[in-house]
Amino acid sequence: MEDRAGSGRSRVLAVKSNRRAFWLVAPTMAILAVVIGYPVLRAVYLSFQAERGINEDTGRFEAGGFAGFDHYLMWLTQRCGDVTCPPGTLGADFWPAVGTTFFFAVVTVSIEACLGLWMAIVMSRSFFGRSMLRASVLIPWAIPTAVTAKLWFFIFSENGIANKMLGTDIAWTTDPWASRFAVIIADVWKTAPFMALLILAGLQMIPKDTYEAARVDGASAWQRFTQITLPLVKPALMVAILFRTLDVLRMYDLPAILSGTSGSTPTTTVSILVVADMRAGNFNSASALSTLVFLMIFAVAFVMVKFLGANAVRTQENQRKGASL
């Protein structure tokens, strides 16, 4: 009887605790539903509506009505009406913008992961001035992206520091490949410290005894790095790569300030294309493009969490089991 009474009181306490947690979280969830949920649903609704225009029968400016998947098909098939969108139009720039976006994501995240791992390993060591180094590394990441882009815009200008130091006259902001490299350099300079700090947090969780035991067993520095550091820091590394990949896939301000927002530049990303379409007054087709961007980012995040995240967790569990044995 006492056990039943005790279990009954436990259930009552659990219900009360859950209710208290619900009422604490409910205001935040309500605000997020209004601030985030409504705009997302509104954008999806507008993506299925035709653009506003002049009604030939009444001569009035009216809504276009239901358009179905016309806007989505226009972006995906690059067909404006019954013909292929001519070069230079926003409809013809969708797939090149997607390719540019993924190019930036692969190159910048790869460089930032390698550079961030090296920086984290250096900052994890004990030496004089380590605290000052960790604080100074935060400076590029703390600078607003718009300020960073304007800074590098002056560096890569025709008479900027880059051309003066290299003794060249490269058009860093207009040349097809030079402008891409300019965006990559600026993005790596700004966000590699972010990767380093996330990876450093993972390195701090590795027990020092593990390295000492490896040294006693005669393991070299490379063996300690490949057999201890990389496997144990992999979960933190995967989180850093995931965050940065999702961030790069929606990149806008850095390439927009460096190379412009016309929609047909070599550094045009999908987010720049969305803004360019909105400035052209095509709010409904821009809503469809925004929805496609959301689905693209969601698919990438799902794949990375499903496969890379699961592998990281499995590796960590195997390491723990091996240590216990």
Side-chain angles (χ1 to χ4, degrees):
M1 295 295 292
E2 293 181 358
D3 294 340
R4 292 181 180 178
S7 61
R9 285 193 296 269
S10 300
R11 284 194 294 269
V12 172
L13 292 175
V15 171
K16 290 182 178 180
S17 178
N18 292 336
R19 289 178 179 176
R20 189 181 300 110
F22 171 78
W23 289 113
L24 289 173
V25 176
T28 302
M29 298 303 297
I31 294 174
L32 290 177
V34 174
V35 176
I36 298 177
Y38 173 75
V40 170
L41 295 177
R42 180 66 177 174
V44 174
Y45 169 77
L46 290 176
S47 67
F48 291 102
Q49 303 297 313
E51 300 291 348
R52 296 169 60 88
I54 301 296
N55 191 323
E56 297 180 356
D57 297 331
T58 61
R60 296 179 179 179
F61 194 75
E62 300 177 355
F66 182 72
F69 291 93
D70 290 349
H71 295 309
Y72 294 95
L73 293 176
M74 186 269 291
W75 291 115
L76 295 175
T77 62
Q78 296 185 331
R79 295 190 64 82
C80 301
D82 297 331
V83 298
T84 302
C85 296
T89 60
L90 295 179
D93 292 332
F94 174 71
W95 287 113
V98 172
T100 301
T101 302
F102 276 95
F103 172 76
F104 284 150
V106 172
V107 176
T108 57
V109 173
S110 299
I111 297 175
E112 290 166 9
C114 297
L115 188 59
L117 180 59
W118 174 75
M119 294 169 63
I121 293 175
V122 172
M123 291 187 293
S124 65
R125 297 174 180 174
S126 298
F127 56 90
F128 178 77
R130 183 179 65 174
S131 300
M132 182 64 67
L133 176 62
R134 291 182 177 181
S136 62
V137 163
L138 286 172
I139 295 176
W141 182 56
I143 297 176
T145 306
V147 178
T148 299
K150 206 63 181 178
L151 170 66
W152 284 97
F153 177 81
F154 291 129
I155 293 176
F156 287 124
S157 62
E158 184 178 356
N159 297 318
I161 299 175
N163 281 334
K164 293 293 184 181
M165 292 182 61
L166 298 175
T168 59
D169 55 352
I170 301 175
W172 290 99
T173 58
T174 56
D175 183 78
W177 282 105
S179 59
R180 293 188 179 101
F181 289 134
V183 172
I184 292 171
I185 293 172
D187 191 56
V188 169
W189 179 84
K190 175 177 174 54
T191 54
F194 173 76
M195 298 279 283
L197 291 175
L198 290 180
I199 298 171
L200 178 61
L203 289 176
Q204 298 298 315
M205 301 299 294
I206 301 177
K208 301 300 181 183
D209 297 341
T210 307
Y211 290 105
E212 294 177 1
R215 290 191 186 96
V216 172
D217 292 338
S220 63
W222 177 251
Q223 289 174 332
R224 293 195 299 270
F225 175 74
T226 57
Q227 302 299 323
I228 298 176
T229 303
L230 275 183
L232 294 182
V233 83
K234 190 176 180 180
L237 181 61
M238 291 300 103
V239 171
I241 291 175
L242 175 62
F243 283 176
R244 278 299 301 141
T245 301
L246 301 184
D247 194 28
V248 176
L249 288 177
R250 56 183 180 83
M251 180 190 294
Y252 170 78
D253 38 10
L254 192 60
I257 295 175
L258 281 175
S259 301
T261 59
S262 63
S264 57
T265 62
T267 60
T268 296
T269 61
V270 185
S271 296
I272 292 178
L273 206 61
V274 173
V275 177
D277 201 31
M278 291 179 62
R279 289 177 175 173
N282 304 321
F283 296 101
N284 295 345
S285 62
S287 298
L289 183 56
S290 300
T291 305
L292 290 175
V293 174
F294 169 77
L295 294 176
M296 178 181 68
I297 295 176
F298 177 81
V300 172
F302 177 80
V303 171
M304 294 187 68
V305 172
K306 182 68 174 179
F307 296 99
L308 298 182
N311 291 336
V313 173
R314 192 178 302 114
T315 301
Q316 192 175 32
E317 291 178 351
N318 293 335
Q319 291 292 330
R320 290 175 179 174
K321 290 179 180 179
S324 63
L325 293 177

